Amino acid sequence: MTLTIAIDAMGGDHGPKVVVPAALSALKTHPDVSFVLIGNQASIEAELTVHKALDDQRLIVQHASQQVEMDELPSAALRGKKDSSMRVAINMVREGKASACVSAGNTGALMAIARFVLKTLPGIERPAIVTALPTMEGHTYVLDLGANVDSSAAHLVQFALMGSVLVESVEGLSKPRVGLLNIGSEEIKGNERVKEAARLLEKTDLNYIGYVEGDGLYEGKCDVLVCDGFVGNVALKASEGVAHMISHYLRASFKRNILTKLVGLMATPVLKHFKQQLDPRAYNGANLIGLQGIVIKSHGGADEFAFANAIKIAIIEAKKDVPKNISKHLEILLEGQVL
């Protein structure tokens, strides 16, 4: 049975010029998947022609007359652009015409439209943004990364549940370790909201390991790290800034003189491997988790490789039916009156 993924072809900084080749790349590795490319038909077909793929039967073009701009207010996109490529893609998921959708568009608008159209899963009050980040042990899924800037203890428990089910489904990892991001590992540390979340998590059947400090994220101490969206987004952006700074100083150091340039040339294989391990493109694709449907957010500036990775995540989660698995586990928590 062919799986169908709806793709917002107009979102992000590059639109069809990145989306089309990324979809073509995904077709090669996923013969059981087809894509609906949604947006300006002329622009999409022009790019398909460039890649000699206009007649590919697994690439369907659906015209949308509007486009959500990257700086557009979510409320304006929700009310005024009902035929945007983003809205049409999400509608396809709601109507059962697609198993998931992928967009590199405006994050706020994507969350607002997805929540309005798909609704949250029963028992989930707020969806969250989750993605995998590299660690010394592999990678850790972190949520929330910016959807909710002020979350209650109950919301944090819901995030923990959703993250745990996601890792079980996608990674095949039984009882993933769940940590709660805090300013210290001791029980007395943290604000009352985090302390209450810890007490609630201890009552669940999740593999809750306790508090994890910021440096513990990159040490790989847990498989799922939970925090509110304000803290998560600051941690993510700070990490990206540190990565850029390290890259800047490495390049500057190797360019200082002829000797350092020679050393840099000799170290090229090591540096290349280092870059591959920490390449953010390999982790592109964040899940708007907690919705009654799968929506994957790609970075707005994603290139072909990065966007293809976001498509891959959508395919995996669709095949594993992550929303259904979350609903099953949520029922157990509600029956146990933990939430």
Side-chain angles (χ1 to χ4, degrees):
M1 183 176 178
T2 301
L3 194 72
T4 300
I5 306 295
I7 300 180
D8 169 13
M10 309 307 293
D13 299 337
H14 309 294
K17 291 187 180 299
V18 159
V19 170
V20 169
L24 290 171
S25 176
L27 285 179
K28 295 176 182 177
T29 54
H30 298 90
D32 58 341
V33 177
S34 65
F35 300 110
V36 180
L37 304 178
I38 304 163
N40 183 280
Q41 186 170 359
S43 299
I44 297 171
E45 290 183 347
E47 194 63 30
L48 287 170
T49 300
V50 170
H51 293 275
K52 298 181 175 59
L54 188 58
D55 298 323
D56 195 312
Q57 299 300 308
R58 290 195 291 145
L59 282 176
I60 302 166
V61 179
Q62 181 163 329
H63 181 69
S65 62
Q66 297 173 307
Q67 175 182 340
V68 175
E69 303 300 330
M70 295 299 284
D71 59 351
E72 192 161 353
L73 288 174
S75 57
L78 178 61
R79 292 194 301 265
K81 292 193 172 178
K82 296 182 180 180
D83 194 44
S84 67
S85 52
M86 183 184 289
R87 179 69 171 265
V88 174
I90 295 173
N91 283 344
M92 288 193 69
V93 176
R94 181 195 63 189
E95 296 162 2
K97 296 177 181 178
S99 299
C101 80
V102 183
S103 174
N106 181 318
T107 303
L110 185 66
M111 177 61 83
I113 294 172
R115 187 171 183 178
F116 176 79
V117 173
L118 298 175
K119 312 304 181 187
T120 56
L121 291 165
I124 297 294
E125 294 177 18
R126 297 184 182 181
I129 299 175
V130 56
T131 194
L133 296 179
T135 71
M136 288 187 284
E137 302 295 330
H139 52 261
T140 295
Y141 286 77
V142 185
L143 73 165
D144 177 28
L145 291 176
N148 308 281
V149 297
D150 188 16
S151 306
S152 68
H155 294 147
L156 294 176
V157 175
Q158 291 175 12
F159 297 165
L161 166 74
M162 294 190 291
S164 180
V165 174
L166 177 67
V167 173
E168 283 189 19
S169 301
V170 174
E171 303 285 346
L173 182 62
S174 177
K175 287 292 181 179
R177 298 164 299 166
V178 178
L180 192 58
L181 187 61
N182 198 6
I183 59 173
S185 58
E186 301 88 352
E187 289 186 10
I188 61 171
K189 293 290 183 68
N191 56 36
E192 288 305 314
R193 177 177 51 190
V194 171
K195 291 177 182 178
E196 177 61 19
R199 288 190 287 268
L200 292 173
L201 283 168
E202 288 171 353
K203 298 178 182 178
T204 71
D205 63 349
L206 300 175
N207 184 14
Y208 175 60
I209 64 169
Y211 295 143
V212 175
E213 293 186 73
D215 59 350
L217 163 60
Y218 296 103
E219 293 176 1
K221 290 186 175 180
C222 58
D223 305 299
V224 179
L225 186 60
V226 177
C227 56
D228 71 31
F230 184 90
V231 172
N233 193 265
V234 169
L236 177 65
K237 295 299 171 61
S239 300
E240 291 175 349
V242 170
H244 288 309
M245 182 184 69
I246 292 173
S247 177
H248 167 78
Y249 280 122
L250 277 174
R251 287 196 301 269
S253 296
F254 283 125
K255 291 179 179 180
R256 278 188 303 159
N257 53 53
I258 294 176
L259 180 59
T260 56
K261 288 180 180 179
L262 180 60
V263 172
L265 184 63
M266 294 173 62
T268 297
V270 175
L271 293 172
K272 185 177 180 180
H273 179 66
F274 175 76
K275 182 179 179 180
Q276 289 174 341
Q277 285 185 308
L278 299 181
D279 189 351
R281 300 180 306 158
Y283 296 91
N284 182 54
N287 188 334
L288 274 57
I289 199 167
L291 299 167
Q292 295 185 45
I294 298 168
V295 179
I296 303 299
K297 171 67 174 73
S298 166
H299 193 286
D303 61 8
E304 176 187 335
F305 176 79
F307 197 87
N309 192 72
I311 293 174
K312 181 181 74 173
I313 291 173
I315 293 170
I316 293 172
E317 294 193 14
K319 288 182 176 180
K320 298 292 185 178
D321 201 352
V322 171
K324 183 178 180 180
N325 289 332
I326 291 174
S327 292
K328 288 180 179 178
H329 283 71
L330 189 60
E331 287 177 6
I332 296 173
L333 278 185
L334 293 173
E335 287 175 3
Q337 295 183 335
V338 174
L339 295 177

